[in-house]
Amino acid sequence: MVGRPRIAILGPARITAAGETPNRLTWFTQVAVYLALHRDGVSLEKFTADLWPAPGRPGQARAIATSTRNETAFKVRRWMGTHPDTGTPFVPMGTDKYYRLNDRLLDSELLQRLRKRGDAKVAAGDPTAIDDYVTALKLVRGRVLPEASGTGWGWLANADRREDLNVPAMVVDAAHRAVQVALTAGDLDRARWAANLAHDTDPHSDVPLLDLLVIAAQAGDMATANRHAWEVVWANDKEVPEELPTETFQIINRIFPAGLQSVST
C-alpha cells in the first residue's frame, strides 16, 4: 500500500505515489523532485521561473499561459495523492501562492539519518554501526540524478540547490565511514564494496580511491594499492604524488614511504 510520496534521487529520479500517474512522466517526475527538494515550498513566481526559465535571463520565466502552470500543479497534485488519514492533498492547492509537497519521504534524507545513527553507534562502541552504514548505502542505485546532465533540470544549478553535487558527497562520506568500521573489523570485502560504490557514485572524489588504496594495502596486495595511488595522482592531473594536496600525499607516503612503482597509464 502506498501512503506518503516516496522520492528517490540516489540514482535516476524515481517517484512512488498513490495517485494517478500522469502522461509526460519525465516532465512530471522533474516537477515532483523539484517540489520534494524545496522542503519549505516555493513561491508561485519561483516555481514558474525555475521550471519554465527564460533563456539568457536567470531567475525569470519565459511567457507561458497561466493554464499551463495550473495544469502542471493539478496533475502533480493528483499524482502525489492524498493523506490516508486526513484526505488532505500532499500538494496543497496553493491558495497562499506557494507550492509545496508535504510529508514526502526522500531517500537522501534517509541515508543521512542512517549515517548519523551509525556515527552514534561508533561513538558508543556498538559493533552494529556497520549495519546502518550498509543499509544507507544500499539506497544508492547509481549516479545521483543523471537527468541533470541532459535537457532541463537547470534549476539544480541554483545556489540553493546543487543536490547533483552535494548528495554524491554525502554518499562518499557515508561510504568512507563504512570503510573505516569494516577495516577495523577486518571485513575487507565489505570495505571494498563500500569504496567501489562511492567511486561509482562520485568518480571525481579522491576519497574512494584512497580508501581502495588502503584496503588493498591491508590485504597485502601492494600492486593494486600502487595502481590506486597512481589513479589518485592522475585524477588530480598531477605528475607525481608529491604534487598532491598535503593530506592526500601523506596517506600515500605512509603506505609507500619509498615511493611508488612506475605503471603504464
Coordinates of all heavy atoms in Angstrom, one line a residue, residues 28-67:
F28 N 6.8 15.3 -15.3 CA 6.2 15.4 -14.0 C 7.1 14.8 -12.9 O 7.0 15.2 -11.8 CB 4.8 14.7 -14.1 CG 3.8 15.6 -14.7 CD1 3.4 15.4 -16.0 CD2 3.3 16.7 -14.0 CE1 2.5 16.2 -16.6 CE2 2.3 17.5 -14.6 CZ 2.0 17.3 -15.9
T29 N 8.0 13.9 -13.3 CA 9.0 13.4 -12.3 C 9.9 14.6 -11.9 O 10.2 14.7 -10.7 CB 9.8 12.3 -12.9 OG1 9.0 11.1 -13.2 CG2 11.0 11.9 -12.0
Q30 N 10.3 15.4 -12.9 CA 11.1 16.5 -12.6 C 10.4 17.5 -11.6 O 11.0 18.0 -10.7 CB 11.5 17.3 -13.8 CG 12.4 18.5 -13.6 CD 12.8 19.3 -14.8 OE1 13.3 20.4 -14.7 NE2 12.5 18.8 -16.0
V31 N 9.1 17.7 -11.9 CA 8.3 18.7 -11.1 C 8.2 18.1 -9.7 O 8.4 18.9 -8.7 CB 6.9 18.9 -11.7 CG1 6.1 19.8 -10.8 CG2 7.0 19.5 -13.1
A32 N 7.9 16.8 -9.5 CA 7.8 16.2 -8.2 C 9.1 16.3 -7.4 O 9.1 16.6 -6.2 CB 7.4 14.8 -8.3
V33 N 10.2 16.0 -8.1 CA 11.5 16.1 -7.5 C 11.8 17.5 -7.0 O 12.3 17.8 -5.9 CB 12.7 15.6 -8.4 CG1 14.0 15.9 -7.8 CG2 12.5 14.1 -8.6
Y34 N 11.5 18.5 -7.9 CA 11.7 19.9 -7.6 C 10.9 20.3 -6.3 O 11.5 20.9 -5.4 CB 11.1 20.7 -8.8 CG 11.2 22.2 -8.5 CD1 12.3 23.0 -8.8 CD2 10.0 22.9 -8.1 CE1 12.3 24.3 -8.5 CE2 10.0 24.3 -7.9 CZ 11.2 25.0 -8.1 OH 11.2 26.3 -7.9
L35 N 9.7 19.9 -6.2 CA 8.9 20.2 -5.0 C 9.5 19.5 -3.8 O 9.5 20.0 -2.7 CB 7.4 19.8 -5.2 CG 6.7 20.7 -6.2 CD1 5.3 20.2 -6.4 CD2 6.6 22.2 -5.7
A36 N 9.9 18.2 -4.0 CA 10.4 17.5 -2.8 C 11.7 18.1 -2.3 O 11.9 18.1 -1.1 CB 10.7 16.0 -3.3
L37 N 12.5 18.7 -3.2 CA 13.8 19.2 -2.7 C 13.6 20.6 -2.1 O 14.4 21.1 -1.3 CB 14.8 19.3 -3.9 CG 15.2 17.9 -4.4 CD1 16.3 18.1 -5.5 CD2 15.8 17.0 -3.3
H38 N 12.5 21.3 -2.5 CA 12.2 22.6 -1.8 C 11.2 22.3 -0.7 O 10.0 22.5 -0.8 CB 11.6 23.5 -2.9 CG 12.5 24.0 -3.9 ND1 12.8 23.3 -5.0 CD2 13.3 25.2 -4.0 CE1 13.7 24.0 -5.8 NE2 14.0 25.1 -5.1
R39 N 11.8 21.8 0.4 CA 11.0 21.3 1.5 C 10.1 22.3 2.1 O 9.0 22.0 2.5 CB 12.0 20.8 2.6 CG 11.3 20.2 3.8 CD 12.3 19.5 4.7 NE 11.6 18.6 5.6 CZ 12.1 17.6 6.2 NH1 13.3 17.2 6.0 NH2 11.4 16.9 7.1
D40 N 10.5 23.6 2.1 CA 9.6 24.6 2.7 C 8.7 25.2 1.7 O 7.9 26.2 2.0 CB 10.4 25.7 3.3 CG 11.3 25.2 4.5 OD1 10.8 24.3 5.2 OD2 12.4 25.7 4.7
G41 N 8.7 24.7 0.5 CA 7.8 25.3 -0.6 C 8.5 26.4 -1.4 O 9.5 26.9 -1.0
V42 N 7.9 26.7 -2.5 CA 8.4 27.8 -3.3 C 7.2 28.7 -3.7 O 6.1 28.3 -3.8 CB 9.1 27.3 -4.6 CG1 10.3 26.5 -4.2 CG2 8.1 26.4 -5.4
S43 N 7.5 30.0 -3.9 CA 6.5 30.9 -4.4 C 6.1 30.6 -5.8 O 6.8 29.9 -6.6 CB 7.1 32.3 -4.3 OG 8.1 32.5 -5.3
L44 N 4.9 31.0 -6.1 CA 4.4 30.8 -7.5 C 5.4 31.4 -8.5 O 5.7 30.8 -9.5 CB 3.1 31.5 -7.6 CG 2.3 31.4 -8.9 CD1 0.8 31.5 -8.7 CD2 2.7 32.6 -9.9
E45 N 6.0 32.5 -8.2 CA 6.9 33.2 -9.1 C 8.2 32.3 -9.3 O 8.7 32.1 -10.5 CB 7.3 34.6 -8.7 CG 6.2 35.6 -8.7 CD 5.2 35.4 -7.5 OE1 5.5 34.7 -6.5 OE2 4.1 36.0 -7.6
K46 N 8.7 31.8 -8.2 CA 10.0 31.0 -8.3 C 9.7 29.7 -9.0 O 10.5 29.2 -9.8 CB 10.5 30.7 -6.9 CG 11.8 29.9 -6.9 CD 12.5 29.8 -5.6 CE 13.6 28.8 -5.5 NZ 14.7 29.2 -6.5
F47 N 8.6 29.1 -8.7 CA 8.1 27.8 -9.3 C 8.1 28.0 -10.9 O 8.6 27.2 -11.6 CB 6.7 27.4 -8.8 CG 6.1 26.2 -9.4 CD1 6.5 24.9 -8.9 CD2 5.2 26.3 -10.4 CE1 5.9 23.8 -9.4 CE2 4.6 25.1 -10.9 CZ 5.0 23.9 -10.4
T48 N 7.5 29.1 -11.3 CA 7.4 29.4 -12.7 C 8.8 29.6 -13.4 O 9.1 29.1 -14.4 CB 6.5 30.5 -13.0 OG1 5.2 30.3 -12.3 CG2 6.2 30.7 -14.5
A49 N 9.6 30.5 -12.7 CA 10.9 30.9 -13.3 C 11.8 29.7 -13.3 O 12.6 29.5 -14.3 CB 11.5 32.0 -12.4
D50 N 11.8 28.8 -12.3 CA 12.7 27.6 -12.3 C 12.3 26.6 -13.3 O 13.2 25.9 -13.9 CB 12.7 27.0 -10.9 CG 13.5 27.8 -9.9 OD1 14.3 28.8 -10.4 OD2 13.5 27.6 -8.7
L51 N 11.0 26.3 -13.5 CA 10.6 25.2 -14.3 C 10.3 25.7 -15.8 O 10.3 24.8 -16.7 CB 9.3 24.6 -13.8 CG 9.6 23.8 -12.5 CD1 8.3 23.3 -11.8 CD2 10.5 22.6 -12.7
W52 N 10.1 27.0 -16.0 CA 9.9 27.5 -17.4 C 10.9 28.7 -17.5 O 10.4 29.8 -17.7 CB 8.5 27.9 -17.6 CG 7.5 26.8 -17.7 CD1 7.2 26.0 -18.7 CD2 6.7 26.3 -16.6 NE1 6.2 25.1 -18.4 CE2 5.9 25.2 -17.1 CE3 6.6 26.6 -15.2 CZ2 5.0 24.5 -16.3 CZ3 5.7 25.9 -14.4 CH2 5.0 24.9 -15.0
P53 N 12.2 28.5 -17.4 CA 13.1 29.6 -17.4 C 13.2 30.3 -18.8 O 13.0 29.7 -19.8 CB 14.5 28.9 -17.1 CG 14.3 27.5 -17.6 CD 12.9 27.1 -17.4
A54 N 13.4 31.6 -18.7 CA 13.6 32.4 -19.9 C 15.1 32.3 -20.3 O 16.0 32.6 -19.5 CB 13.3 33.8 -19.6
P55 N 15.4 31.8 -21.5 CA 16.8 31.7 -22.0 C 17.5 33.0 -21.9 O 17.0 34.1 -22.3 CB 16.6 31.3 -23.5 CG 15.3 30.7 -23.6 CD 14.4 31.4 -22.6
G56 N 18.7 33.0 -21.2 CA 19.5 34.1 -21.1 C 19.1 35.1 -20.1 O 19.7 36.2 -19.9
R57 N 18.0 34.8 -19.3 CA 17.6 35.7 -18.3 C 17.4 34.9 -16.9 O 16.3 34.5 -16.6 CB 16.2 36.4 -18.7 CG 16.4 37.4 -19.8 CD 15.1 38.1 -20.1 NE 14.1 37.2 -20.7 CZ 12.8 37.4 -20.6 NH1 12.3 38.4 -19.9 NH2 11.9 36.5 -21.2
P58 N 18.5 34.7 -16.2 CA 18.4 33.9 -15.0 C 17.4 34.5 -14.0 O 17.3 35.7 -13.8 CB 19.9 34.1 -14.4 CG 20.7 34.4 -15.6 CD 19.8 35.2 -16.5
G59 N 16.6 33.6 -13.4 CA 15.7 34.0 -12.4 C 14.4 34.5 -13.0 O 13.5 34.9 -12.2
Q60 N 14.2 34.5 -14.3 CA 13.0 34.9 -14.9 C 12.3 33.8 -15.7 O 13.0 33.0 -16.3 CB 13.3 36.1 -15.8 CG 13.8 37.4 -15.1 CD 14.0 38.5 -16.0 OE1 13.1 38.9 -16.7 NE2 15.1 39.2 -15.9
A61 N 11.0 33.9 -15.8 CA 10.3 32.9 -16.5 C 10.0 33.3 -17.9 O 9.9 34.5 -18.2 CB 8.9 32.6 -15.8
R62 N 10.0 32.4 -18.8 CA 9.5 32.7 -20.2 C 8.0 32.9 -20.2 O 7.3 32.4 -19.2 CB 10.0 31.7 -21.2 CG 9.3 30.3 -21.0 CD 9.8 29.4 -22.2 NE 9.1 28.1 -22.2 CZ 9.6 27.0 -21.6 NH1 10.8 27.1 -20.9 NH2 9.0 25.9 -21.7
A63 N 7.4 33.4 -21.2 CA 6.0 33.6 -21.2 C 5.3 32.3 -21.4 O 5.5 31.5 -22.4 CB 5.6 34.5 -22.4
I64 N 4.4 31.9 -20.5 CA 3.6 30.7 -20.6 C 2.2 31.1 -20.1 O 2.0 32.1 -19.4 CB 4.1 29.6 -19.7 CG1 4.1 30.0 -18.2 CG2 5.5 29.1 -20.1 CD1 4.2 28.8 -17.2
A65 N 1.2 30.3 -20.6 CA -0.2 30.5 -20.2 C -0.3 30.2 -18.7 O 0.3 29.2 -18.3 CB -1.1 29.7 -21.1
T66 N -1.1 30.9 -18.0 CA -1.4 30.6 -16.6 C -2.0 29.2 -16.5 O -1.7 28.4 -15.6 CB -2.4 31.6 -16.0 OG1 -1.8 32.9 -16.1 CG2 -2.7 31.2 -14.5
S67 N -2.7 28.8 -17.5 CA -3.3 27.4 -17.5 C -2.3 26.3 -17.6 O -2.5 25.2 -17.0 CB -4.3 27.3 -18.7 OG -3.6 27.5 -19.9

